[in-house]
Amino acid sequence: MTLNNDALIIERVLEQIAAKENEPHRHPLGQFVLVKRGVLHGHTPEQHWLMKPGMAVWIPPDTVHWGEAYSRVDLTVLYIAPTLCRSFTSRVKLIDTSFLISALCERLADTRAPLSETRRNSMLQLLFEEIEEKPDSNLTLPLPLDLRLKKVTDSLIADPAQRLSLAEWGHRVGATERTLARLFRKETGLRFTDWHNRLLLAVAWQGLANDASNEELSVMLGFSSGDSFGHWFRRVADSSPGQIRKHLQDQRTSATQ
């Protein structure tokens, strides 16, 4: 990929994520990645995030990141020259897209009707403004630096079904419950229960994308039954697991037609 006078570089990817994207890497270009179909996990050393259809992430230039997808994902990816990124946020930002953001990406990616440089830059500026105004998604999972807290979060990421209290975790890692509670707020901006719920929600979405049943997900996530998982999911996601499965299945069906 080459830059042409620091122009906006646009590429549309409509396939399963490339194997090389699974390894930590960085680009000199900024990236705005919008998920149209499928479910994608993204990572930086500081955070994990899950992207479902209708979500997007801004990745600034030279940011170490990697991604994982276990089934087909359809993406629209905008590669943006560093000179055009200077006035934009320098942190990774995960958002739920709007109709306007999706429409701007579609128009910018449409090579059948090329845009003038002036119009393209105006649309890009509008896209930046829209991204800036959107709140961060609750599917971002901040990662701590404190070694004691990192033992807790690493263990839960490896096995989200664990249901230890913060006091029990403190006993395991050599810290008081109060210390861990303070560190969770300081280093992730979240309470322990909120952080764990974000992790559970991300894993639940991945399981639904893989057609896991409520009973299977209840075991994976530490719920007492499939019904218990279903009640929790409806509360935190504002949709039932069955509705999400149908939506993802409909997308897979339309992608193959």
Side-chain angles (χ1 to χ4, degrees):
M1 181 183 300
T2 58
L3 291 177
N4 181 15
N5 299 323
D6 292 329
L8 171 67
I9 307 298
I10 302 168
E11 179 176 312
R12 181 169 295 182
V13 182
L14 299 174
E15 58 188 64
Q16 186 168 338
I17 192 168
K20 64 181 180 181
E21 296 292 326
N22 291 332
E23 299 297 327
H25 61 282
R26 68 178 75 200
H27 306 288
L29 307 175
Q31 288 180 273
F32 185 65
V33 182
L34 186 151
V35 175
K36 300 171 68 178
R37 296 186 180 91
V39 174
L40 173 68
H41 279 285
H43 310 272
T44 69
E46 295 79 28
Q47 61 183 293
H48 297 331
W49 64 86
L50 178 131
M51 297 174 66
K52 55 189 177 67
M55 293 185 66
V57 64
W58 165 250
I59 304 174
D62 291 315
T63 299
V64 175
H65 64 282
W66 63 100
E68 297 170 336
Y70 305 103
S71 59
R72 173 178 172 147
V73 287
D74 290 6
L75 311 171
T76 297
V77 183
L78 277 61
Y79 293 99
I80 302 171
T83 53
L84 300 178
C85 300
R86 289 172 183 167
S87 62
F88 197 42
T89 180
S90 59
R91 65 179 180 88
V92 172
K93 185 172 183 179
L94 180 71
I95 62 171
D96 294 301
T97 61
S98 63
F99 176 81
L100 179 55
I101 289 174
S102 296
L104 285 168
C105 288
E106 286 296 310
R107 183 63 186 92
L108 287 165
D110 187 357
T111 57
R112 296 169 298 178
L115 296 164
S116 68
E117 183 175 353
T118 299
R119 189 176 179 198
R120 182 183 56 191
N121 289 343
S122 295
M123 294 178 71
L124 180 60
Q125 182 59 40
L126 179 57
L127 176 63
F128 280 173
E129 291 172 1
E130 287 295 306
I131 297 169
E132 287 272 23
E133 289 183 1
K134 293 288 287 183
D136 290 71
S137 166
N138 64 359
L139 288 177
T140 299
L141 192 70
L143 301 177
L145 296 175
D146 182 89
L147 294 180
R148 294 163 297 177
L149 199 58
K150 195 172 185 303
K151 288 179 181 178
V152 177
T153 56
D154 285 353
S155 182
L156 283 169
I157 289 169
D159 180 11
Q162 298 178 85
R163 296 293 177 159
L164 298 178
S165 69
L166 205 52
E168 290 171 316
W169 280 116
H171 181 71
R172 284 194 176 190
V173 303
T176 66
E177 178 182 7
R178 184 175 179 179
T179 295
L180 287 184
R182 176 179 57 81
L183 287 172
F184 257 105
R185 285 187 174 276
K186 178 183 177 182
E187 299 213 0
T188 71
L190 300 169
R191 296 181 305 166
F192 168 64
T193 53
D194 295 332
W195 188 94
H196 193 203
N197 271 332
R198 285 197 183 190
L199 171 64
L200 295 176
L201 186 58
V203 177
W205 264 96
Q206 185 62 62
L208 292 170
N210 292 333
D211 293 323
S213 68
N214 283 13
E215 288 69 26
E216 290 170 328
L217 287 167
S218 71
V219 173
M220 290 170 55
L221 302 178
F223 290 94
S224 59
S225 66
D227 286 343
S228 178
F229 162 74
H231 289 312
W232 170 84
F233 189 86
R234 282 190 290 272
R235 178 171 58 82
V236 298
D238 293 325
S239 296
S240 72
Q243 289 171 321
I244 299 303
R245 285 191 195 89
K246 184 178 186 306
H247 174 67
L248 294 172
Q249 180 59 48
D250 289 345
Q251 285 199 327
R252 287 194 291 268
T253 301
S254 64
T256 59
Q257 290 177 346

